[in-house]
Amino acid sequence: MEARQGDREQRVLDRLHRAAQFCDERIGWNRIGVAISLTIIAVAAVALYRILRTIEVDEVIEALVTSDWRNIALSALCVAGGYFTLTFYDLFALRTIGRSDMPYRVAALAGFTSYAVGHNVGASVFTGGAVRYRVYSAWGLSAIEVAKICFLAGLTFWLGNATVLGLGITYAPLAATAIDQLPAWLNRVGAVLILIVLALYVAWVWRRPRVVGRENWSVTLPDGPLTLLQIGIGIVDLGFCALAMYVLVPDEPNIGFITLAVIFVAATLLGFASHAPGGIGVFDAAMLVALWQFDKEDLLAGLLLFRLLYYIVPFALSLAILGARELMLALRGTPPPPFVSLPPLVPTEIGNQPADPHRTKPVEPIG
């Protein structure tokens, strides 16, 4: 019975793999990604133009000046909590690939700086990966290990987003309707399907060790309990970020936190899919369209404050930290790590047994 179940699972995975290969060879994932990004940016640009052309700049400035400093401080505290949680993305990934010798401060440095840079520069898979490689290479990690960390951190991100959207839209489907303009019942059905897929994934990794790999590298996926922990990390991160936005929106009319969280996460994902630096324009347009019931000038002031706290300040801090670190390495005479091409960050080969990972032996840390 166990063998039959395993064969059935393998046949399904083989079909998915062939479908992915077909899209890659006949169309090209890069072309699909570019088309989606351009479509999102174009729609956001039109929506943003229609909204902002009637904005009174003086009222936006007045809303900024009269903002309650206690709300700004609370939002800043939530942003700090969100970035603190992001450091556990890297710590979790390091433990998963067997690098428990890496201290938390290294994971915190790599996690904070890579996300702060990636959030602002755009194309976070590549920019964040480059920052991580620069940090981790000083501690003896290879490019393959850094690629594994990026993959697992991305998995945590998507599991958390899927869970929040699934639960949130099931509870408040009209929040999603404000963005996608689909009927509430259809959004709820989609949310339930997301939760079913998540439950199937958790059950799948719970049964036996699962390995994904492609070409010369492989990763053993976190098992069931660790996947639940992974989802929990993602939920806490998104909770902090949504709360940071929630305290900056106008008090009236009052909307529930879950409604705001669903809109916030959906807008964030649209900005992420556009690959625009900081999701600029796309995130803002989605928020302004979905939260139509608020005064536009007050809401825009809240969005500007959120950008300052969540994007600009962490970006400046990360550049200062990375710059100081590079200066220290230069004064020590430490050469930069050799340039190597990273392996594919999205493996498509899937197996049931863990492979023996090739690991670089740790060396004496130099930064």
Side-chain angles (χ1 to χ4, degrees), residues 289-304:
V289 168
L291 299 175
W292 55 269
Q293 61 270 55
F294 288 104
D295 180 81
K296 289 184 293 185
E297 286 78 10
D298 290 341
L299 180 57
L300 183 57
L303 289 171
L304 291 174

Side-chain angles (χ1 to χ4, degrees), residues 85 156 160 163 226-237:
T85 308
T156 303
T163 304
L226 288 179
T227 298
L228 294 179
L229 174 61
Q230 201 174 12
I231 292 173
I233 294 172
I235 291 175
V236 172
D237 167 39

Side-chain angles (χ1 to χ4, degrees), residues 177-201:
T177 298
I179 287 185
D180 59 25
Q181 304 301 309
L182 295 175
W185 67 267
L186 187 56
N187 281 323
R188 178 169 281 160
V189 169
V192 171
L193 289 177
I194 291 175
L195 294 177
I196 291 174
V197 172
L198 280 171
L200 291 175
Y201 174 78

Side-chain angles (χ1 to χ4, degrees), residues 41 114 138 178 188 201 309 331 356-357:
I41 291 174
S114 64
R188 178 169 281 160
Y201 174 78
L309 297 174
L331 292 176
D356 294 330

Side-chain angles (χ1 to χ4, degrees), residues 63-259:
L64 287 170
V65 173
T66 58
S67 297
D68 191 337
W69 67 267
R70 290 169 295 186
N71 289 340
I72 298 175
L74 180 57
S75 180
L77 186 62
C78 292
V79 168
Y83 274 97
F84 173 69
T85 308
L86 281 176
T87 64
F88 289 93
Y89 281 41
D90 278 52
L91 185 66
F92 180 90
L94 284 166
R95 299 300 185 264
T96 301
I97 68 171
R99 293 308 301 258
S100 56
D101 56 306
M102 291 293 104
Y104 169 73
R105 68 179 185 276
V106 177
L109 173 63
F112 171 72
T113 55
S114 64
Y115 281 110
V117 172
H119 284 164
N120 285 271
V121 178
S124 58
V125 171
F126 303 103
T127 54
V131 172
R132 281 191 174 102
Y133 180 66
R134 181 57 178 155
V135 173
Y136 286 128
S137 62
W139 287 78
L141 271 70
S142 66
I144 291 178
E145 288 176 311
V146 174
K148 293 178 181 181
I149 292 171
C150 293
F151 170 74
L152 290 167
L155 183 61
T156 303
F157 170 81
W158 286 109
L159 287 174
N161 277 270
T163 304
V164 169
L165 283 179
L167 294 174
I169 296 175
T170 300
Y171 177 81
L174 288 175
T177 298
I179 287 185
D180 59 25
Q181 304 301 309
L182 295 175
W185 67 267
L186 187 56
N187 281 323
R188 178 169 281 160
V189 169
V192 171
L193 289 177
I194 291 175
L195 294 177
I196 291 174
V197 172
L198 280 171
L200 291 175
Y201 174 78
V202 173
W204 181 63
V205 296
W206 205 299
R207 295 180 65 246
R208 65 169 69 94
R210 305 291 183 174
V211 179
V212 293
R214 182 176 181 178
E215 296 178 357
N216 63 337
W217 73 283
S218 63
V219 180
T220 301
L221 295 174
D223 59 19
L226 288 179
T227 298
L228 294 179
L229 174 61
Q230 201 174 12
I231 292 173
I233 294 172
I235 291 175
V236 172
D237 167 39
L238 292 172
F240 273 124
C241 297
L243 188 58
M245 184 74 251
Y246 185 71
V247 299
L248 292 176
V249 299
D251 295 330
E252 296 295 337
N254 184 41
I255 64 171
F257 172 72
I258 295 179
T259 298

Side-chain angles (χ1 to χ4, degrees), residues 138-139 324-335 364-367:
W139 287 78
R325 180 178 179 275
E326 291 299 316
L327 180 60
M328 291 176 60
L329 292 175
L331 292 176
R332 293 182 185 180
T334 304
E364 185 68 22
I366 56 176

